[in-house]
Amino acid sequence: MLFYVVFFSIYAFMHLYFIYKLKKAFNLNVLTLYLVSPTFIFSPLFYRMYDRAGYDLYYLSFFILMWMGFIMLFFIYYILIDFYHGLIKAFNKVFGINPLPSIRNKISFVFILFLTIMSLAYGHYETLNLKIYRFVIYSDKIPRDIKILHISDLHLNQVMREEKIKLVLDVYNKEKPDIVISTGDLVDGKVSYRKSYVELLKNMNPPLGKYAILGNHEYYTDINDAVKFHLLSGFQLLRNETTSIDNINVAIIGVDDIDGVRLGYIAEYPEKDLFKGLDKTKFVIFLKHKPKLDNNLVGEFDLMLSGHTHGGVLFPVRYILRKIFITDFGFMKIGNSYIFVSRGVGTGGPPIRIGCPPDVAIFEIKKLPR
């Protein structure tokens, strides 16, 4: 509940800020806009309501999410103009001079409006351009070479649809991996009734199986529907548990997202307990949605796969995420453990990305030459 109060308070302020800047730029009577603004402010809530009810309203959903992107980008860009004017006032007050030119309200508004629309157009274009990253890891733990396709954060919903799955399928069909792994937020809405989604995902049928964990967004919508969707699509869900693929000497550990505990759906389960008694001769793959790591687990696994961050969605946000998580995106080695954080395939809000393209990763685990 606190999240909704905070979110809608900020979202409402952004709308009022937009209307205020519009009035200031063109000296308009904006009473009507103030009156209709609640419709836009609470549209994300309306989206969740009809989605849960099973109504498929793509164009309305697309507009609601793009409008969210528009109002947020407009606010961020215009704040920079306000900061600039604040500097001018500070110079004037302290030094009694005004060395910088002021920007008229009308010019500011038109420029920011244009910049916002162009950013939305480019941001949506970027979501369609999937990057494929390739990594090779040598290990003496496996009897033969294996190939893994890692996907994350498809956020399948009213807007993230079949085309997102087809992007992944194209990679799957070309690479023919032995294993497919999904590290959460596969689902971001009520989707188990969407047979086209299920059938497309079932086309991925790797010889050594496909495995998944739950992310935070599965808990935000309908957790039972999300679990059902994973099973219908052929994934083996790992919920604070371990599975072994003995013929290649691999163990996969998967943990539920911590938001499942926070929201009261599951009891807290210490991750370290999953590693107790684990056969150290196995190549251990650790699946965790949010890229946070207990330092005591470094060296307990060979490869950790995560998602969640989306690389920040907007380029500058990555620097904030690096203070919160292991990293915002990328491949690294800590001790004897490798870690990869994906930017994901879909988006959890507005269907835009700026400087943070979507991705999947191919891992070739090769038998160490003797």
Side-chain angles (χ1 to χ4, degrees):
M1 180 59 70
L2 179 61
F3 169 80
Y4 288 110
V5 171
V6 172
F7 172 81
F8 283 109
S9 296
I10 296 172
Y11 199 47
F13 176 76
M14 289 179 176
H15 281 79
L16 298 178
Y17 180 86
F18 172 79
I19 296 171
Y20 170 74
K21 292 298 182 183
L22 178 64
K23 178 179 184 296
K24 201 170 180 182
F26 297 101
N27 196 28
L28 298 175
N29 184 348
V30 292
L31 177 62
T32 303
L33 290 179
Y34 281 119
L35 292 175
V36 301
S37 63
T39 303
F40 291 87
I41 293 167
F42 293 105
S43 60
L45 187 61
F46 179 56
Y47 165 82
R48 285 299 184 193
M49 290 172 61
Y50 68 70
D51 180 61
R52 288 184 178 182
Y55 292 101
D56 186 1
L57 303 172
Y58 169 75
Y59 293 106
L60 178 59
S61 301
F62 184 81
F63 173 78
I64 288 171
L65 294 182
M66 286 297 276
W67 175 258
M68 183 187 296
F70 170 85
I71 209 72
M72 289 179 174
L73 285 176
F74 182 91
F75 178 78
I76 292 169
Y77 292 152
Y78 221 118
I79 282 291
L80 297 177
I81 297 288
D82 285 347
F83 178 74
Y84 173 78
H85 283 140
L87 284 179
I88 293 175
K89 289 180 180 178
F91 265 102
N92 229 342
K93 188 172 183 180
V94 175
F95 301 107
I97 58 172
N98 186 4
L100 300 171
S102 296
I103 306 173
R104 286 189 298 160
N105 292 325
K106 185 179 292 187
I107 293 175
S108 295
F109 187 91
V110 171
F111 172 72
I112 295 300
L113 181 64
F114 175 79
L115 181 61
T116 302
I117 293 171
M118 290 299 100
S119 297
L120 281 179
Y122 171 78
H124 186 61
Y125 167 78
E126 190 168 287
T127 66
L128 308 176
N129 290 272
L130 187 71
K131 303 293 183 184
I132 303 170
Y133 295 98
R134 301 175 185 277
F135 306 99
V136 177
I137 298 174
Y138 289 95
S139 175
D140 59 0
K141 295 182 177 182
I142 56 171
R144 66 174 178 85
D145 297 352
I146 56 175
K147 184 185 284 189
I148 299 169
L149 169 60
H150 173 220
I151 64 175
S152 194
D153 297 86
L154 268 79
H155 285 274
L156 297 173
N157 56 23
Q158 299 253 349
V159 174
M160 299 290 118
R161 301 173 74 94
E162 291 88 351
E163 66 275 5
K164 295 298 176 187
I165 304 174
K166 289 176 181 177
L167 288 175
V168 173
L169 269 177
D170 285 344
V171 178
Y172 173 82
N173 290 328
K174 290 174 183 175
E175 297 292 337
K176 296 179 172 52
D178 300 293
I179 299 170
V180 172
I181 288 174
S182 169
T183 50
D185 286 0
L186 179 71
V187 171
D188 191 9
K190 190 169 183 178
V191 293
S192 66
Y193 70 94
R194 296 179 182 272
K195 293 183 179 179
S196 60
Y197 294 10
V198 170
E199 291 305 316
L200 282 171
L201 286 170
K202 284 170 69 175
N203 286 329
M204 289 193 294
N205 188 28
L208 298 178
K210 57 185 184 184
Y211 306 88
I213 57 172
L214 297 175
N216 53 312
H217 277 258
E218 274 95 2
Y219 284 105
Y220 294 167
T221 51
D222 186 332
I223 183 61
N224 294 323
D225 186 81
V227 170
K228 180 181 177 182
F229 180 80
H230 278 84
L231 299 179
L232 287 173
S233 301
F235 284 96
Q236 180 178 340
L237 259 181
L238 300 176
R239 307 191 65 186
N240 298 326
E241 56 189 317
T242 304
T243 190
S244 293
I245 311 175
D246 293 329
N247 60 333
I248 56 168
N249 205 41
V250 168
I252 305 176
I253 298 174
V255 295
D256 266 20
D257 187 76
I258 192 64
D259 277 11
V261 176
R262 182 177 63 82
L263 295 172
Y265 287 101
I266 55 173
E268 189 167 4
Y269 192 96
E271 292 174 3
K272 61 183 180 180
D273 288 357
L274 292 167
F275 291 84
K276 289 179 179 178
L278 193 66
D279 186 351
K280 302 296 184 181
T281 67
K282 291 183 180 293
F283 186 92
V284 178
I285 304 173
F286 180 34
L287 311 182
K288 186 175 182 180
H289 181 61
K290 292 191 181 83
K292 289 189 173 184
L293 178 63
D294 180 348
N295 289 330
N296 293 321
L297 294 181
V298 173
E300 294 294 314
F301 58 85
D302 297 279
L303 175 64
M304 174 178 169
L305 300 176
S306 295
H308 180 68
T309 66
H310 295 269
V313 180
L314 306 177
F315 174 79
V317 180
R318 67 176 57 177
Y319 299 106
I320 300 172
L321 295 179
R322 289 174 186 176
K323 302 294 183 182
I324 302 173
F325 302 110
I326 300 169
T327 185
D328 63 300
F329 157 77
F331 186 61
M332 64 180 64
K333 187 178 184 182
I334 302 178
N336 293 321
S337 298
Y338 291 96
I339 298 171
F340 177 71
V341 179
S342 170
R343 288 186 296 236
V345 179
T347 56
I352 58 171
R353 289 172 175 264
I354 298 176
C356 306
D359 67 58
V360 297
I362 298 292
F363 291 89
E364 294 186 70
I365 316 300
K366 291 184 174 289
K367 183 178 178 180
L368 193 67
R370 297 186 182 276

